[in-house]
Each structure stands twice: as structure tokens, then as C-alpha cells.
Amino acid sequence: MSRKQNGSGPTKWASMALLIMGLVSCIVVYAFISAALTPGAAKIESLEEETGEGIEGCCRGVENLELWGPAVNWGADFKLNSSAECCRACRAMCSSGESGPCLCDTWVFCGHREACGSKFGECWLKKQQDTFRPDRQEAGNKIMWTSGIIFGRGKGIVALETEHGTIRVKLLPECSPRSIMYILELLSSRHCAGCRFYRAEGRGEVWDSHGNHIKDASFGPPYALVQGTLEAQGVAFNDIPDEFCPTITRGSVAWIESGPEFFISLSNHREWTNTYTVFGSVVAEDMEIVERIAQLPTKPDVWNGVSVSVLEKHVPLKVRRIEIARS
């Protein structure tokens, strides 16, 4: 009898130990899953994570547009299957390191079999004297070429100058090429009369300081953004079709519908996916200026049934080119 009790004692305690270990394991697994599924709990690390196509996956051009310039690779001897391949061939000629030249900054592809004839598949890789002012030969429905721009490291930066500070924006020509063509037109006009911010809404109690959505909070108002227009007097604006529409993240610069109204997001809007064309991203350290504008005095208004906050005093802005020095 004693031996049975003595023999069953360790078995009993071992069973209890296994039970406790099992409970602890379940608690750990539950905590991990809860954290992973809680809205706003995880920081968005990349656009690829949300959309499957991130900035690095973009390689697009503008159809019916021919860009000229000195050729670094002759298309007559270099034929590819698509405009995306031609774009990637140009991008491959840019240094991937901290420094080094971008040997190709524009590409031209002939992809319409009937219109191109013997030129079908030609991929011309070119180098402009000034990428912000590409040698634009012709555009229109009769043009059989598709062209695009590549900005090298430290290039393709524009500044939105305001009385509250300068907001630097990295342009995305490979993702939203038509959008960037309009920005280049603004730069060439050397003014942006009429460009301004007119709406500003902070993060409130909806998003945290990192831009992540707070659990159980609404999705606005406030909507955590500053909104304005890039319609400049004397510069023709044509509606821009949808281009690169990822999930909106903190720092995204995007058109509202087809432009020229635009906004800069202060938060990670997971609920805004495949909705707005993103054509730029604010340099991280300049987001404090955007936050500053979002805290300016506002007054309530209602647009199409949506409660918004508009600035009591609009903030004029100028657009100019800028380059970030390589470290």
C-alpha cells in the first residue's frame, strides 16, 4: 500500500507540473496571437507587407510620351518584352550603395506591336542633363512610345515651403509617373500661386504617436491629416488616373480622387487601402512640421456629410526642388 502511494506520489506531481506548463504555454500563445491581431498593435514596416507591391516593385511609365536625351544604351540593339523590364534595366544602372552616379535616369520603350513595327520591343536607356527637366519631345495619342523617369539616391526630393517650416518629400516616379510629370511642371513654372494647406486634423485619441490605430477607437474624426491643393495659377492641370494605391501610412503624400487636392497622412490608415494614389513620402524628420501645422487653430465644417476641421488661416506653400547630400 505504502509503495503504491510512494509510487503514485511522483506521478501525481509530474502530472501537475505538466498541467501547469501546458497552461503557461497556452497563456503565452494567446498573448502572442492577441497582440498580432489587435488593430494598430504592430507597426507597418513596409508597403510590401500591406499590398504585395511596394515601392521597390514599382516600375511604370507614361504611355504616349517620348523623352529624348543622350542614349547610354541604344534601343535598336536592346529589345525587351515589356516597359517594366525596360524600366528595371534603367534602374539597374543606378548605384545601390551610399554613393555613386545613376548612369540611367530615363527610359523609352516601344510596346505597341502594330504602331512600332520593326521598333517593337526597343528599350532606349538615357541620361538627362537635368532629371527634373527631362528633354520631352512629344506627347499625345499618336506617340507609340512609353517613357519613365528614375531618380537616383538623394535625388527626386521636392520641398513644400511654408511659414512653419520646410517639408521635404521624396517623389515616386516609378510608382506614380503621371503624378510626377505634373510636379515637374510645377517646378518648371517657378511658382505655385494658389497652392496651400486649408484643412488640418491631428491624431486625437484615435491614433497613437507612432500613427497606429488605438484599439476600440473610431477611425475619425479627427482623421490625422493635413489637406491642401497643388493647383497653381497659370499651370494647366489634367485629372490624374489612379496609379500607385497602397495602404496609406504615416508620411504618405497622396491625391484626393484625381487631384489637384492632396493630403499628407499623420497616421497608418489601414482602412484606406487601394483608395488614394500615393506620389510621395515625407522625409521622416520633417513630420514634426506636418504635426505642427495639424495643431494650428481650426474651425468645424461639414463636407458631404463628413465632419472636418478647416484652418482658420490657410497656409500658403511653395514647391521647389532640393537634393539631400549623400553621407
Side-chain angles (χ1 to χ4, degrees):
M1 182 72 65
S2 296
R3 291 186 63 182
K4 187 176 181 179
Q5 290 178 345
N6 290 340
S8 64
T11 303
K12 176 181 178 181
W13 289 112
S15 299
M16 291 181 66
L18 289 172
L19 178 61
I20 292 172
M21 290 175 64
L23 289 173
V24 171
S25 298
C26 289
I27 292 171
V28 171
V29 171
Y30 175 79
F32 175 81
I33 293 175
S34 297
L37 296 180
T38 299
K43 180 179 179 181
I44 296 176
E45 296 294 339
S46 66
L47 292 174
E48 288 93 334
E49 178 183 336
E50 293 296 310
T51 66
E53 181 190 18
I55 294 174
E56 293 302 320
C58 291
C59 235
R60 303 173 182 172
V62 178
E63 295 181 354
N64 308 124
L65 171 66
E66 182 179 4
L67 295 178
W68 279 26
V72 296
N73 200 335
W74 287 71
D77 303 319
F78 187 55
K79 293 191 175 185
L80 297 175
N81 295 319
S82 68
S83 60
E85 289 185 15
C86 186
C87 172
R88 286 192 286 269
C90 181
R91 187 164 61 187
M93 297 181 71
C94 285
S95 173
S96 60
E98 291 293 328
S99 61
C102 201
L103 301 179
C104 172
D105 55 19
T106 46
W107 55 270
V108 182
F109 179 76
C110 204
H112 193 288
R113 186 179 296 274
E114 293 183 3
C116 294
S118 62
K119 295 182 180 294
F120 178 70
E122 287 189 3
C123 173
W124 291 78
L125 306 183
K126 304 181 178 184
K127 176 68 176 176
Q128 303 290 325
Q129 289 187 345
D130 185 349
T131 315
F132 275 102
R133 293 185 176 183
D135 188 355
R136 179 170 174 164
Q137 179 62 14
E138 291 185 71
N141 293 331
K142 295 182 179 180
I143 303 303
M144 60 189 180
W145 301 94
T146 296
S147 300
I149 295 175
I150 304 287
F151 283 129
R153 188 177 183 84
K155 306 289 184 179
I157 309 292
V158 296
L160 305 183
E161 293 184 335
T162 76
E163 59 188 292
H164 303 283
T166 297
I167 304 167
R168 291 169 296 171
V169 176
K170 172 66 176 176
L171 300 178
L172 306 176
E174 298 156 70
C175 294
S176 300
R178 291 183 180 274
S179 301
I180 303 313
M181 285 298 178
Y182 175 70
I183 300 300
L184 297 187
E185 287 187 34
L186 277 183
L187 291 172
S188 64
S189 71
R190 299 189 178 183
H191 78 86
C192 202
C195 299
R196 65 194 184 279
F197 289 114
Y198 52 75
R199 176 186 176 189
E201 300 184 15
R203 288 175 278 103
E205 297 181 356
V206 180
W207 287 272
D208 64 22
S209 59
H210 298 291
N212 295 315
H213 184 249
I214 296 174
K215 183 180 179 181
D216 297 330
S218 68
F219 286 95
Y223 293 98
L225 55 80
V226 295
Q227 180 177 331
T229 180
L230 288 176
E231 185 173 22
Q233 297 175 11
V235 180
F237 180 86
N238 296 316
D239 287 352
I240 296 173
D242 290 346
E243 296 189 290
F244 180 52
C245 300
T247 297
I248 298 297
T249 59
R250 179 174 168 82
S252 292
V253 185
W255 298 118
I256 296 174
E257 296 182 350
S258 301
E261 314 301 312
F262 79 106
F263 69 91
I264 300 175
S265 178
L266 296 172
S267 298
N268 301 318
H269 287 279
R270 294 175 181 266
E271 74 280 14
W272 292 350
T273 301
N274 298 324
T275 305
Y276 301 103
T277 291
V278 174
F279 61 90
S281 180
V282 174
V283 174
E285 53 264 36
D286 292 349
M287 283 301 296
E288 64 180 59
I289 300 170
V290 184
E291 294 273 6
R292 193 180 307 158
I293 294 174
Q295 299 304 316
L296 293 174
T298 60
K299 56 185 178 182
D301 202 350
V302 178
W303 296 350
N304 298 320
V306 178
S307 297
V308 299
S309 297
V310 296
L311 288 165
E312 291 184 357
K313 179 183 178 183
H314 291 184
V315 177
L317 64 89
K318 297 179 181 179
V319 182
R320 68 175 178 85
R321 59 188 291 176
I322 190 172
E323 294 183 3
I324 295 180
R326 298 186 182 96
S327 57

